[in-house]
């Protein structure tokens, strides 16, 4: 298994902290960078040599902080999470690779090793070409909703901004972590478009592409809401720090 960690973001809303400009993943929480926690968790499912960090804003800072990891520089001819994955899959390290690819966000430091290992085990046992991490939550959170058909199978992911009032009541949330078969990932990336208001390529469009192609897409469902918080604002950073501190 290879890992892609998306770590190219600037973290614009964190700039108000007034510190030296830096990539979002190098912001510190409870004494360590956000990326430190992610790397600790992903080490449970793949070794360092198979871990690839997608860098963009002030890329050299991440490269200098993690010289033992393979960093892939994101291009500047498109935008979006799907584009970050495209850049990763075009890297020479993925040439002739046909195994699984675990995609995680570098700004979500609360995931446990147990969650990653459980997701990996289910993916391998199910025969799915894509497994998504989802969470059942009674709390309102601005995540995409998982839409299922009458047979219980996933049929779509609808971003929170695009949800109908009925869809906003769905409690199964898309958390933004995925495992793809590499060949099916390449196929879905080849079909990905940026026909949306922002003109960006979204990773959330990839599972529906595979579903429409008749491929098996599954979810690994958790109910541990303390793991799914990302960092976008100073308030998020403070809240995550409290959780990490309480974990000891």
């Amino acid at each position: 298994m290879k890992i892609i960690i998306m770590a190219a973001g600037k973290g614009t809303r964190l700039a108000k902290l007034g510190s030296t400009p830096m990539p979002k993943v190098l912001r510190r929480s409870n004494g360590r960078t956000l990326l430190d926690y992610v790397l600790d968790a992903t080490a449970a499912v793949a070794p360092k040599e198979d871990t690839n960090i997608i860098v963009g804003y002030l890329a050299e800072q991440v490269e200098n902080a993690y010289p033992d990891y393979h960093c892939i520089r994101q291009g500047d001819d498109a935008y979006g999470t799907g584009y970050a994955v495209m850049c990763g899959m075009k890297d020479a390290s993925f040439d002739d690779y046909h195994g699984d690819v675990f995609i995680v966000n570098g700004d979500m430091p609360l995931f446990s090793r147990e969650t990653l290992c459980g997701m990996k085990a289910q993916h391998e046992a199910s025969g799915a070409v894509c497994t998504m991490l989802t969470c059942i939550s009674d709390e309102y959170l601005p995540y995409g909703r998982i839409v299922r058909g009458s047979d219980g199978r996933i049929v779509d992911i609808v971003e929170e901004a695009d949800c109908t009032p009925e869809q906003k009541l769905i409690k199964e949330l898309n958390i933004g972590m995925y495992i793809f078969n590499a060949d099916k990932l390449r196929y879905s990336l080849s079909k990905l478009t940026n026909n949306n208001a922002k003109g960006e390529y979204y990773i959330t469009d990839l599972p529906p592409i595979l579903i429409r192609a008749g491929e098996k897409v599954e979810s690994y469902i958790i109910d541990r809401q303390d793991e799914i918080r990302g960092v976008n604002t100073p308030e998020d950073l403070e809240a995550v720090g409290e959780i990490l501190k309480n974990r000891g």
Side-chain angles (χ1 to χ4, degrees), residues 3-10 22-26 35 39 51-67 69-76 78 80 83-85 87-88 91 104 106:
I3 293 176
I4 288 177
I5 299 175
M6 294 188 289
K10 180 178 181 179
M22 67 180 66
K24 184 199 289 190
V25 297
L26 294 187
L35 187 53
L39 291 171
T51 301
N52 304 274
I53 305 173
I54 309 299
V55 294
Y57 176 68
L58 297 178
E60 65 281 356
Q61 290 191 17
V62 181
E63 293 166 345
N64 291 338
Y66 298 94
Y69 287 87
H70 180 51
C71 292
I72 301 170
R73 291 206 177 193
Q74 180 174 299
D76 56 8
Y83 177 65
V85 177
C87 294
D91 187 75
V104 303

Side-chain angles (χ1 to χ4, degrees), residues 169-187:
L169 299 176
I170 296 173
K171 295 183 178 181
E172 186 177 4
L173 309 178
N174 178 41
I175 307 306
M177 184 182 295
Y178 309 84
I179 303 175
F180 289 92
N181 168 269
D183 292 322
K184 300 302 182 180
L185 178 56
R186 292 185 184 96
Y187 166 80

Side-chain angles (χ1 to χ4, degrees), residues 70-176:
H70 180 51
C71 292
I72 301 170
R73 291 206 177 193
Q74 180 174 299
D76 56 8
D77 55 339
Y79 298 96
T81 51
Y83 177 65
V85 177
M86 288 180 192
C87 294
M89 293 301 292
K90 290 178 181 177
D91 187 75
S93 61
F94 285 89
D95 289 351
D96 300 319
Y97 177 71
H98 305 286
D100 289 323
V101 183
F102 209 140
I103 301 174
V104 303
N105 289 299
D107 62 353
M108 300 185 78
L110 299 177
F111 289 112
S112 67
R113 288 187 168 208
E114 290 75 16
T115 291
L116 299 186
C117 289
M119 186 174 171
K120 177 177 183 285
Q122 178 181 298
H123 175 78
E124 292 173 343
S126 71
V129 302
C130 170
T131 300
M132 309 161 46
L133 182 68
T134 67
C135 180
I136 304 297
S137 174
D138 290 321
E139 180 183 356
Y140 170 77
L141 294 168
Y143 290 108
R145 306 308 201 275
I146 302 299
V147 180
R148 294 181 180 270
S150 57
D151 60 355
R153 308 293 295 179
I154 298 172
V155 296
D156 203 0
I157 307 170
V158 181
E159 291 303 297
E160 198 270 342
D162 298 323
C163 283
T164 66
E166 293 77 18
Q167 289 170 335
K168 286 186 177 181
L169 299 176
I170 296 173
K171 295 183 178 181
E172 186 177 4
L173 309 178
N174 178 41
I175 307 306

